[in-house]
């Protein structure tokens, strides 16, 4: 079995003075471990470390950008909030929200004015998309600044009507820095059916997504947000019954959007597989456990951590459809009532005797 090596494993080896060039050639490195190894190799060779940009900071949108200004909150003065809202830092986040909105629209994950995005930008502040604006045609100046009660502080347009759900996710899950809500057709089909997609089929889904279903409530209400928020401790992607999907990320907005791409592609693949008339080939529990180890190292939640192997690939609730087959004759005969069969035979014999 190939060894899975995490970032923590590499850090421990370095502390012990070990040479990372001695790693097994066929070892599987987590993405974070791979980046660490590349940086270590660059240092050993005296080269600039890959991925490092001078003078750039990290924004909660997910990419390198302007460093955030001094922290602000809903208690900051109007002048401080105004300066923050129009800072280069917020400008870059607003531009990214427009970019993600266009991607959602082009992939047909939203229609009309549907969908909304939010980014945590302070202790109790968030940027969000406006209401009644197509996500494919937003402009940076359309974005809004709200506090965690949903009160709009700045922005020319009115904030999204579903902001409470995003804010309740931020409040329940302190690691969440960005949220994405939309209506991708295949994933929303599962939401309408009230089904969590089956597991143990595709590695990317197992590593990057953790899905649950929240019951339906009227969109935009505190009740809807509460039901979603109750699930975000152990799941990063929530199917909203009869509505759509919302995801959160601890890395940034683009990563929250990636959760949508991964889920939608997965749901589409599952439905195609279900039409082939053959049971899908699933991973073994041990294979899934290896993926869950990678997932845990990446800091992605999953309720299956710590489960026994026999519980890892439990898809009992998944019913992709009905396969009509004729059972073997032996199985049919085993279900027959002998006494009833005798009675039928007697009646049949009497009828045949009268015809003679």
């Amino acid at each position: 079995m190939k060894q899975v090596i995490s970032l923590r494993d590499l850090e421990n080896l370095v502390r012990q003075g070990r040479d990372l060039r001695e790693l097994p050639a066929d070892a599987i490195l987590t993405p974070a471990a791979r980046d660490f190894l590349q940086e270590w190799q660059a240092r050993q060779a005296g080269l600039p470390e890959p991925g490092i940009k001078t003078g750039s900071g990290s924004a909660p949108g997910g990419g390198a950008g302007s460093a955030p200004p001094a922290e602000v909150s809903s208690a900051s003065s109007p002048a401080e909030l105004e300066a923050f809202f129009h800072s280069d830092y917020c400008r870059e986040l607003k531009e990214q929200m427009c970019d993600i909105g266009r991607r959602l629209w082009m992939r047909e994950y939203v229609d009309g004015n549907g969908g909304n995005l939010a980014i945590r930008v302070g202790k109790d502040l968030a940027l969000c998309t406006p209401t009644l604006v197509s996500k494919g045609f937003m402009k940076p100046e359309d974005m809004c600044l709200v506090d965690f009660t949903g009160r709009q502080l700045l922005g020319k347009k009115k904030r999204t009507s579903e902001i409470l759900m995003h804010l309740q996710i931020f409040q329940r899950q302190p690691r969440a820095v960005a949220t994405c809500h939309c209506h991708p057709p295949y994933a929303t089909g599962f939401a309408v059916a009230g089904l969590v997609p089956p597991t143990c089929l595709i590695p990317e889904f197992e590593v990057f997504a953790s899905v649950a279903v929240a019951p339906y409530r009227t969109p935009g209400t505190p009740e809807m947000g509460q039901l979603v928020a109750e699930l975000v401790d152990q799941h990063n992607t929530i199917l909203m019954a009869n509505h759509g999907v919302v995801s959160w990320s601890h890395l940034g907005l683009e990563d929250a959007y990636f959760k949508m791409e991964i889920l939608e592609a997965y749901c589409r693949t599952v439905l195609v597989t279900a039409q082939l008339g053959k049971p899908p080939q699933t991973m073994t529990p041990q294979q899934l456990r290896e993926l869950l180890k990678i997932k845990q190292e990446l800091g992605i939640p999953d309720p299956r951590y710590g489960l026994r192997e026999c519980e890892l690939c439990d898809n009992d609730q998944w019913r992709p459809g009905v396969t009509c087959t004729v059972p073997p004759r032996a199985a049919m005969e085993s279900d027959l009532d002998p006494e009833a069969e005798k009675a039928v035979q007697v009646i049949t014999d009497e009828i045949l005797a009268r015809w003679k």
Side-chain angles (χ1 to χ4, degrees):
M1 184 184 303
K2 295 181 180 179
Q3 181 181 1
V4 178
I5 299 177
S6 68
L7 171 61
R8 187 177 304 168
D9 295 331
L10 293 185
E11 289 174 339
N12 288 336
L13 290 174
V14 171
R15 291 191 192 99
Q16 297 167 13
R18 301 280 296 277
D19 189 339
L20 299 187
R21 286 170 292 195
E22 298 175 356
L23 295 175
D26 62 347
I28 300 174
L29 298 178
T30 66
R34 191 180 305 113
D35 292 342
F36 181 89
L37 181 60
Q38 290 176 349
E39 293 172 5
W40 181 87
Q41 291 170 334
R43 287 195 298 271
Q44 297 301 307
L47 301 173
E49 296 181 17
I52 302 299
K53 295 183 179 180
T54 304
S56 65
S58 179
S66 300
E71 184 173 348
V72 295
S73 71
S74 60
S76 299
S77 69
E80 290 173 326
L81 290 172
E82 185 81 25
F84 173 75
F85 186 62
H86 295 290
S87 65
D88 290 342
Y89 171 74
C90 282
R91 174 76 185 186
E92 291 177 9
L93 295 180
K94 295 172 187 176
E95 289 174 349
Q96 188 183 42
M97 295 171 84
C98 293
D99 174 59
I100 297 299
R102 278 190 294 272
R103 293 198 228 177
L104 292 171
W105 184 79
M106 292 182 69
R107 281 188 169 271
E108 299 184 353
Y109 292 178
V110 292
D111 53 72
N113 302 319
N116 26 78
L117 308 168
I119 301 176
R120 185 199 299 263
V121 292
K123 180 180 179 181
D124 61 350
L125 296 175
L127 287 175
C128 71
T129 50
T131 190
L132 300 178
V133 176
S134 169
K135 300 301 145 325
F137 300 92
M138 297 186 298
K139 300 183 290 294
E141 53 267 29
D142 294 335
M143 304 307 156
C144 310
L145 182 70
V146 298
D147 65 18
F148 275 17
T149 68
R151 179 171 61 105
Q152 183 164 340
L153 303 174
L154 288 164
K156 298 177 182 178
K157 295 186 181 295
K158 186 178 179 181
R159 51 88 166 157
T160 172
S161 61
E162 295 187 278
I163 188 59
L164 294 181
M165 175 181 66
H166 297 264
L167 299 176
Q168 285 172 281
I169 292 174
F170 288 149
Q171 293 177 75
R172 177 63 180 258
Q173 177 52 266
R175 297 178 63 234
V177 299
T179 48
C180 175
H181 166 55
C182 57
H183 315 124
Y186 290 92
T188 301
F190 277 82
V192 171
L195 285 174
V196 175
T199 57
C200 301
L201 297 178
I202 296 178
E204 288 76 9
F205 178 78
E206 294 299 340
V207 171
F208 296 108
S210 182
V211 182
V213 177
Y216 175 81
R217 292 294 186 275
T218 303
T221 61
E223 292 77 16
M224 179 73 261
Q226 180 180 348
L227 290 171
V228 168
E230 289 174 353
L231 298 171
V232 299
D233 289 340
Q234 294 188 316
H235 305 87
N236 61 16
T237 310
I238 311 300
L239 296 172
M240 304 161 66
N242 303 93
H243 185 171
V245 189
V246 63
S247 62
W248 67 268
S249 171
H250 64 295
L251 298 176
L253 183 60
E254 186 172 52
D255 185 63
Y257 163 75
F258 284 158
K259 301 289 187 292
M260 291 296 176
E261 284 196 355
I262 292 167
L263 175 64
E264 180 69 353
Y266 185 76
C267 289
R268 186 175 184 178
T269 302
V270 168
L271 291 175
V272 170
T273 303
Q275 297 176 56
L276 298 179
K278 182 179 179 181
Q281 299 180 25
T282 59
M283 303 170 189
T284 66
Q286 179 56 39
Q287 289 171 331
L288 178 61
R289 189 176 292 283
E290 293 174 1
L291 295 176
L292 290 178
K293 180 181 179 183
I294 297 173
K295 189 174 196 173
Q296 195 165 21
E297 291 291 341
L298 293 174
I300 299 174
D302 195 295
R304 294 171 295 177
Y305 296 147
L307 291 183
R308 296 173 298 174
E309 286 196 356
C310 62
E311 300 172 311
L312 289 178
C313 290
D314 183 5
N315 287 324
D316 286 347
Q317 294 182 345
W318 166 239
R319 299 290 183 269
V322 177
T323 302
C324 298
T325 59
V326 178
R329 183 172 181 81
M332 295 175 63
E333 292 177 349
S334 65
D335 293 334
L336 300 178
D337 184 345
E339 294 300 322
E341 285 298 299
K342 288 181 181 179
V344 170
Q345 188 62 52
V346 169
I347 295 173
T348 302
D349 291 342
E350 290 180 358
I351 293 174
L352 292 176
R354 292 177 183 177
W355 280 86
K356 289 181 179 179

